[in-house]
Amino acid sequence: MIPVTDHSALIVVDLQNDFCPGGSLPVPQGNDVVPVIQALIGAFSAGGQPIALTRDHHPADHISFQSRGGPWPPHCVVGTHGFDYHPDLVVPSRAAHFIKGFTRDRDAYSGFEGIRIGPGGEMIGETLADYLHHHGVETVYLTGLATDYCVRATALDALREGFTTWVVVDAIRGVDVKSGDSQRALLELAEKGAGLIESAR
Ligand code: VGL
Ligand code: ZN
């Protein structure tokens, strides 16, 4: 069971339609994490602890797209259904939202490269690190998609920023472009000091 203690925050990475089955860059079984993450959102809400959600947020001609020589099909294009959170995810109003990858000529996998947006989508400008520090967060629990890309990058930055970093293994799924990528990412994260934990809801 995840201990929802003071000074801990939940981070939900890129739980968006394009990364779920039916999307343009589907993570196998990506939608399986929705109920697991929903339970964690409930626990962190009840505990009054910060909840941060990140989203991949690309212009239609983003540098990471194959049309521009990048590795990926178009995904999470602003204003499309693929950009939206998974429809079953119920997001509390007190959660903070961050977008990343919005610069046309630069990709950003880590949530720590994102900036905060308000309820109307307006840029607030606060970074994820600012938000976590502002709330006195020392420990982060990472969930979401995809293990081998944005979860990995966000976890590496969390470690670099000095947070005690837990990766919730039943609340993540990977792309595995090369078989074993997700497993290798978890080993790398563990080697660098992240803890691996089951939510055991
Ligand atoms: C992601 C590939 C491209 C991710 C984002 O959220 O893991 N992966 N853009
Ligand atoms: Zn992307």
Side-chain angles (χ1 to χ4, degrees):
M1 187 62 181
I2 305 267
V4 182
T5 55
D6 285 354
H7 313 296
S8 65
L10 177 68
I11 300 178
V12 182
V13 176
D14 299 4
L15 193 45
Q16 294 167 268
N17 287 320
D18 268 344
F19 296 129
C20 291
S24 67
L25 208 175
V27 176
Q29 280 100 46
N31 50 333
D32 285 3
V33 301
V34 175
V36 182
I37 290 174
Q38 197 67 59
L40 289 169
I41 287 176
F44 278 75
S45 287
Q49 294 304 300
I51 299 169
L53 297 95
T54 72
R55 262 182 300 176
D56 218 27
H57 179 288
H58 297 317
D61 58 350
H62 190 249
I63 191 157
S64 75
F65 296 172
Q66 282 149 357
S67 55
R68 290 198 56 205
W72 307 115
H75 62 278
C76 302
V77 172
V78 187
T80 65
H81 174 74
F83 167 74
D84 294 338
Y85 292 121
H86 189 286
D88 294 345
L89 190 69
V90 182
V91 182
S93 57
R94 55 187 287 282
H97 303 264
F98 297 82
I99 55 170
K100 61 189 175 59
F102 43 81
T103 304
R104 187 180 168 273
D105 294 329
R106 195 171 165 273
D107 205 2
Y109 288 148
S110 167
F112 285 88
E113 294 182 70
I115 62 159
R116 189 168 174 189
I117 56 165
E122 73 281 8
M123 299 236 185
I124 295 175
E126 188 181 40
T127 66
L128 179 55
D130 292 338
Y131 168 81
L132 295 171
H133 289 310
H134 179 80
H135 285 86
V137 172
E138 292 162 7
T139 302
V140 295
Y141 290 89
L142 282 168
T143 66
L145 307 172
T147 308
D148 33 358
Y149 291 93
C150 291
V151 172
R152 170 182 175 273
T154 306
L156 288 174
D157 276 349
L159 289 165
R160 232 174 261 133
E161 293 275 350
F163 294 103
T164 301
T165 303
W166 292 94
V167 179
V168 187
V169 292
D170 53 330
I172 56 174
R173 291 291 185 279
V175 184
D176 289 317
V177 171
K178 272 216 323 264
S179 149
D181 280 352
S182 295
Q183 206 48 43
R184 278 187 290 277
L186 289 181
L187 285 173
E188 177 194 10
L189 291 171
E191 255 163 39
K192 292 192 168 152
L196 307 182
I197 191 171
E198 293 253 2
S199 78
R201 66 195 164 102

